[in-house]
Amino acid sequence: MNNNEKYENAFIESLGISKDQLNNLEYQAIPEWDSVGHMSLIAALEDSFDIMMDTDDVIDLSSFDKGKEILSENYEINF
Amino acid sequence: MQQNFSYLFGSYECLNNIQNVPKLPIFSDIICDFLNDFSKELMKDTRYRAFQDLMAYAYWIRKSSVESMKKNYQHDLINRLGIGTIFHITPSNVPIQFLYSLTVSLLSGNPNVVKLSNKKFDQVSIVVDILNILSKKYSFIKNYIILLRYDHDDDKTTFLSSKCRIRIIWGSDNTIRQIKRIELPVRSRDMIFSDRFSLCLIDSNYYLSLNEDNKKDLANKYYIDTYYTDQNACSSPRVNVWFGDSEQSNKAKKEFYFKLNEKVMDSYEINEISVVDKYSKLVQFSCMNLGTYDADNSYNNIINVMNIKSLENFPFNMKGNSGLFYDYDITDINQLISAIREEWQTIAVCGINKEYLLNKIIERGVTGCDRIVDIGKTMNLSLVWDGLDFILQLSKIIEYK
């Protein structure tokens, strides 16, 4: 799996949603991505990419797109 | 002597053999791997999402979080290991307190006997299910975790106490007194977690300067600290201390409770028994002349607030639940510091510099107050509880210089 696939998969598996929901997806825009879903998402991303995320980044990860930015800028993950 | 325990996990054979089970190093690989899988099991089943406390726990024991905690004990990993069998007596007011107690002890390297309360919580069943699933991959776990229940019985408590090195008691002062009467082996000791009392400290001026979104966010955070556990947690604020001049504080209170009410109306259901209980406490307090109550501010009995005259004379053991709060005004932080008592655990702050407050407390040298956190963070899990580091308390060092 390449990084894009890993990233999408983390969202799909942890939030229990489908791939077509990922476009422009934002935190709290769907019921699955509430604060509990968010915790599950962070755990999944950390696990997939073997990283530990800073609290600030955990809070800033407010959309599907923003998450990619954060992972590439702060955790050297190339998409 | 085979005792009739009701085993939720583990067996009499394991219990009988528990003192022979090898103690592990702190943060051992097998325990960390086990907790990592436990976290994944909790997070993957969406049925468990309704249990925020279980989700918060799962998040806390996720791999990266445990690795981060492990780093704080870097210098001790080589020669610190479990101290012996730990007997946990766990309370009925917080459903997963037993799981927290068990976890810190496993991370410290110990085998455990956990007495659960007789109250049947869904969270307990979920934990047992997952333990059963994981015991296939982690067969050793049945030697390190025994979960059982029994009705109040001094003989059974004596039997279990005779097997332990440390007896951890979570409970009311009465429960603790009763259990402490039961002897421990000569080298063993008790670790006590009794009734504590927590407060909130809000800078009224700062609160008023927040924009609408931030005020709403604060209300959500305060809700987590209080209503989410029906104010059952010892870290739940009971008294809200307002720092500022009286005009600012009165204005801040009005807005604060208004915003809180919006959140509570949306998320909380109160029952008649809770309302009656709150009113009976308010009447008691009024009779004791401890403060004043404005019925017009009762928000349909979901939020009840009393203004108390004195923090020093406040009978902390009469705290309320399900939305009963006491307001107290100060114009000088020293008024709060001078009132600190042994029972105080957490001060949750808004608009107050935590380090400043910490220094004030240290200057004074008081024994009360073990935590200063932001509002919304009182339920955060940590290896330190009531001022004690569990890893250091439940393990021992082998000096090898």
Side-chain angles (χ1 to χ4, degrees), chain B residues 234-250:
Chain B
C234 53
S235 59
S236 296
R238 312 290 178 166
V239 172
N240 295 324
V241 179
W242 300 88
F243 172 62
D245 70 49
S246 62
E247 197 189 318
Q248 283 173 335
S249 290
N250 285 335

Side-chain angles (χ1 to χ4, degrees), chain A residues 14-15 35-37 39-40 42-43 46-47 50-52 58, chain B residues 36 39-40 43 46 49 52 55-56 59 62-65 68:
Chain A
S14 65
L15 301 182
S35 59
V36 172
M39 286 195 272
S40 182
I42 298 297
E46 286 181 334
D47 203 43
D50 199 21
I51 55 176
M52 168 154 198
V58 169
Chain B
N36 181 26
S39 173
K40 285 183 174 158
M43 292 222 188
T46 48
R49 301 262 162 120
Q52 289 209 321
M55 291 299 103
Y59 188 69
R62 75 193 192 284
K63 183 176 171 193
S64 64
S65 170
S68 165

Side-chain angles (χ1 to χ4, degrees), chain B residues 60-71:
Chain B
W60 181 56
I61 57 157
R62 75 193 192 284
K63 183 176 171 193
S64 64
S65 170
V66 173
E67 274 175 14
S68 165
M69 292 193 279
K70 184 175 177 177
K71 286 201 176 96

Side-chain angles (χ1 to χ4, degrees), chain A residues 10-55:
Chain A
F11 274 81
I12 292 167
E13 295 292 325
S14 65
L15 301 182
I17 56 176
S18 58
K19 189 167 167 168
D20 49 285
Q21 287 177 274
L22 295 176
N23 204 23
N24 294 326
L25 183 63
E26 284 182 4
Y27 173 60
Q28 293 189 322
I30 52 170
E32 293 90 339
W33 197 356
D34 58 4
S35 59
V36 172
H38 192 69
M39 286 195 272
S40 182
L41 172 65
I42 298 297
L45 287 171
E46 286 181 334
D47 203 43
S48 285
F49 294 104
D50 199 21
I51 55 176
M52 168 154 198
M53 292 183 67
D54 255 1
T55 313

Side-chain angles (χ1 to χ4, degrees), chain B residues 199-202 204 238-244 249-250 253 257 290-291 305-314 316 325-339 344:
Chain B
L199 303 89
C200 213
L201 173 62
I202 301 174
S204 305
R238 312 290 178 166
V239 172
N240 295 324
V241 179
W242 300 88
F243 172 62
S249 290
N250 285 335
K253 285 179 214 176
Y257 290 116
L290 291 167
V305 186
M306 183 138 184
N307 295 303
I308 53 172
K309 293 184 193 175
S310 152
L311 209 43
E312 276 94 346
N313 295 333
F314 184 75
F316 297 128
F325 308 103
Y326 302 93
D327 278 344
Y328 183 69
D329 293 350
I330 59 172
T331 49
D332 181 334
I333 293 285
N334 289 312
Q335 290 171 273
L336 173 74
I337 306 295
S338 61
W344 290 25

